[in-house]
PDB file of all heavy atoms in Angstrom:
ATOM      1  N   TYR A 297      59.575   2.610 -38.199  1.00 76.00           N
ATOM      2  CA  TYR A 297      58.803   3.829 -37.941  1.00 76.00           C
ATOM      3  C   TYR A 297      57.370   3.649 -38.424  1.00 76.00           C
ATOM      4  O   TYR A 297      57.124   3.348 -39.592  1.00 76.00           O
ATOM      5  CB  TYR A 297      59.450   5.026 -38.655  1.00 76.00           C
ATOM      6  CG  TYR A 297      58.706   6.331 -38.488  1.00 76.00           C
ATOM      7  CD1 TYR A 297      58.902   7.129 -37.367  1.00 76.00           C
ATOM      8  CD2 TYR A 297      57.809   6.767 -39.459  1.00 76.00           C
ATOM      9  CE1 TYR A 297      58.223   8.335 -37.217  1.00 76.00           C
ATOM     10  CE2 TYR A 297      57.127   7.968 -39.319  1.00 76.00           C
ATOM     11  CZ  TYR A 297      57.336   8.744 -38.195  1.00 76.00           C
ATOM     12  OH  TYR A 297      56.666   9.924 -38.060  1.00 76.00           O
ATOM     13  N   LYS A 298      56.418   3.837 -37.538  1.00 78.00           N
ATOM     14  CA  LYS A 298      54.997   3.734 -37.866  1.00 78.00           C
ATOM     15  C   LYS A 298      54.348   5.089 -37.618  1.00 78.00           C
ATOM     16  O   LYS A 298      54.362   5.592 -36.499  1.00 78.00           O
ATOM     17  CB  LYS A 298      54.307   2.665 -37.008  1.00 78.00           C
ATOM     18  CG  LYS A 298      54.969   1.286 -37.067  1.00 78.00           C
ATOM     19  CD  LYS A 298      54.940   0.710 -38.479  1.00 78.00           C
ATOM     20  CE  LYS A 298      55.610  -0.664 -38.529  1.00 78.00           C
ATOM     21  NZ  LYS A 298      55.681  -1.199 -39.894  1.00 78.00           N
ATOM     22  N   GLU A 299      53.781   5.646 -38.686  1.00 76.00           N
ATOM     23  CA  GLU A 299      53.206   6.986 -38.586  1.00 76.00           C
ATOM     24  C   GLU A 299      52.082   7.074 -37.571  1.00 76.00           C
ATOM     25  O   GLU A 299      51.871   8.112 -36.951  1.00 76.00           O
ATOM     26  CB  GLU A 299      52.678   7.432 -39.952  1.00 76.00           C
ATOM     27  CG  GLU A 299      53.771   7.720 -40.960  1.00 76.00           C
ATOM     28  CD  GLU A 299      53.201   8.220 -42.265  1.00 76.00           C
ATOM     29  OE1 GLU A 299      52.007   8.000 -42.530  1.00 76.00           O
ATOM     30  OE2 GLU A 299      53.956   8.858 -43.025  1.00 76.00           O
ATOM     31  N   ASN A 300      51.330   5.986 -37.390  1.00 81.00           N
ATOM     32  CA  ASN A 300      50.177   6.004 -36.497  1.00 81.00           C
ATOM     33  C   ASN A 300      50.475   5.473 -35.101  1.00 81.00           C
ATOM     34  O   ASN A 300      49.551   5.310 -34.301  1.00 81.00           O
ATOM     35  CB  ASN A 300      49.024   5.183 -37.108  1.00 81.00           C
ATOM     36  CG  ASN A 300      48.440   5.872 -38.318  1.00 81.00           C
ATOM     37  OD1 ASN A 300      48.464   7.096 -38.418  1.00 81.00           O
ATOM     38  ND2 ASN A 300      47.928   5.089 -39.254  1.00 81.00           N
ATOM     39  N   SER A 301      51.748   5.171 -34.813  1.00 86.00           N
ATOM     40  CA  SER A 301      52.070   4.716 -33.460  1.00 86.00           C
ATOM     41  C   SER A 301      51.970   5.883 -32.496  1.00 86.00           C
ATOM     42  O   SER A 301      52.246   7.034 -32.853  1.00 86.00           O
ATOM     43  CB  SER A 301      53.483   4.129 -33.423  1.00 86.00           C
ATOM     44  OG  SER A 301      54.445   5.151 -33.611  1.00 86.00           O
ATOM     45  N   PRO A 302      51.553   5.651 -31.258  1.00 89.00           N
ATOM     46  CA  PRO A 302      51.400   6.735 -30.289  1.00 89.00           C
ATOM     47  C   PRO A 302      52.673   7.548 -30.081  1.00 89.00           C
ATOM     48  O   PRO A 302      52.623   8.783 -30.006  1.00 89.00           O
ATOM     49  CB  PRO A 302      51.001   6.000 -29.005  1.00 89.00           C
ATOM     50  CG  PRO A 302      50.337   4.752 -29.483  1.00 89.00           C
ATOM     51  CD  PRO A 302      51.072   4.356 -30.724  1.00 89.00           C
ATOM     52  N   THR A 303      53.810   6.875 -30.012  1.00 87.00           N
ATOM     53  CA  THR A 303      55.067   7.601 -29.793  1.00 87.00           C
ATOM     54  C   THR A 303      55.368   8.554 -30.935  1.00 87.00           C
ATOM     55  O   THR A 303      55.745   9.716 -30.726  1.00 87.00           O
ATOM     56  CB  THR A 303      56.228   6.604 -29.632  1.00 87.00           C
ATOM     57  OG1 THR A 303      55.962   5.738 -28.524  1.00 87.00           O
ATOM     58  CG2 THR A 303      57.537   7.346 -29.376  1.00 87.00           C
ATOM     59  N   ALA A 304      55.189   8.072 -32.174  1.00 86.00           N
ATOM     60  CA  ALA A 304      55.444   8.925 -33.336  1.00 86.00           C
ATOM     61  C   ALA A 304      54.461  10.086 -33.395  1.00 86.00           C
ATOM     62  O   ALA A 304      54.836  11.228 -33.681  1.00 86.00           O
ATOM     63  CB  ALA A 304      55.355   8.101 -34.617  1.00 86.00           C
ATOM     64  N   LEU A 305      53.193   9.823 -33.113  1.00 89.00           N
ATOM     65  CA  LEU A 305      52.173  10.876 -33.165  1.00 89.00           C
ATOM     66  C   LEU A 305      52.460  11.979 -32.151  1.00 89.00           C
ATOM     67  O   LEU A 305      52.370  13.175 -32.459  1.00 89.00           O
ATOM     68  CB  LEU A 305      50.786  10.281 -32.916  1.00 89.00           C
ATOM     69  CG  LEU A 305      50.194   9.425 -34.040  1.00 89.00           C
ATOM     70  CD1 LEU A 305      48.940   8.703 -33.559  1.00 89.00           C
ATOM     71  CD2 LEU A 305      49.873  10.289 -35.247  1.00 89.00           C
ATOM     72  N   ILE A 306      52.833  11.594 -30.948  1.00 91.00           N
ATOM     73  CA  ILE A 306      53.065  12.578 -29.896  1.00 91.00           C
ATOM     74  C   ILE A 306      54.340  13.375 -30.167  1.00 91.00           C
ATOM     75  O   ILE A 306      54.358  14.609 -30.092  1.00 91.00           O
ATOM     76  CB  ILE A 306      53.149  11.884 -28.517  1.00 91.00           C
ATOM     77  CG1 ILE A 306      51.806  11.242 -28.173  1.00 91.00           C
ATOM     78  CG2 ILE A 306      53.531  12.895 -27.427  1.00 91.00           C
ATOM     79  CD1 ILE A 306      51.848  10.371 -26.937  1.00 91.00           C
ATOM     80  N   THR A 307      55.424  12.660 -30.509  1.00 88.00           N
ATOM     81  CA  THR A 307      56.701  13.343 -30.737  1.00 88.00           C
ATOM     82  C   THR A 307      56.619  14.313 -31.906  1.00 88.00           C
ATOM     83  O   THR A 307      56.952  15.499 -31.788  1.00 88.00           O
ATOM     84  CB  THR A 307      57.815  12.311 -30.996  1.00 88.00           C
ATOM     85  OG1 THR A 307      57.897  11.412 -29.888  1.00 88.00           O
ATOM     86  CG2 THR A 307      59.153  13.009 -31.172  1.00 88.00           C
ATOM     87  N   VAL A 308      56.152  13.819 -33.052  1.00 87.00           N
ATOM     88  CA  VAL A 308      56.066  14.666 -34.241  1.00 87.00           C
ATOM     89  C   VAL A 308      55.020  15.758 -34.053  1.00 87.00           C
ATOM     90  O   VAL A 308      55.206  16.899 -34.486  1.00 87.00           O
ATOM     91  CB  VAL A 308      55.751  13.812 -35.489  1.00 87.00           C
ATOM     92  CG1 VAL A 308      55.567  14.696 -36.708  1.00 87.00           C
ATOM     93  CG2 VAL A 308      56.862  12.799 -35.734  1.00 87.00           C
ATOM     94  N   GLY A 309      53.923  15.435 -33.386  1.00 90.00           N
ATOM     95  CA  GLY A 309      52.878  16.424 -33.145  1.00 90.00           C
ATOM     96  C   GLY A 309      53.358  17.585 -32.299  1.00 90.00           C
ATOM     97  O   GLY A 309      53.091  18.756 -32.609  1.00 90.00           O
ATOM     98  N   LEU A 310      54.109  17.295 -31.246  1.00 92.00           N
ATOM     99  CA  LEU A 310      54.629  18.359 -30.380  1.00 92.00           C
ATOM    100  C   LEU A 310      55.709  19.171 -31.084  1.00 92.00           C
ATOM    101  O   LEU A 310      55.783  20.403 -30.927  1.00 92.00           O
ATOM    102  CB  LEU A 310      55.174  17.762 -29.079  1.00 92.00           C
ATOM    103  CG  LEU A 310      54.136  17.174 -28.124  1.00 92.00           C
ATOM    104  CD1 LEU A 310      54.816  16.588 -26.897  1.00 92.00           C
ATOM    105  CD2 LEU A 310      53.122  18.229 -27.703  1.00 92.00           C
TER     106      LEU A 310
END
Side-chain angles (χ1 to χ4, degrees):
Y297 178 84
K298 306 298 180 184
E299 290 183 340
N300 290 331
S301 69
T303 301
L305 288 170
I306 296 172
T307 303
V308 176
L310 291 179

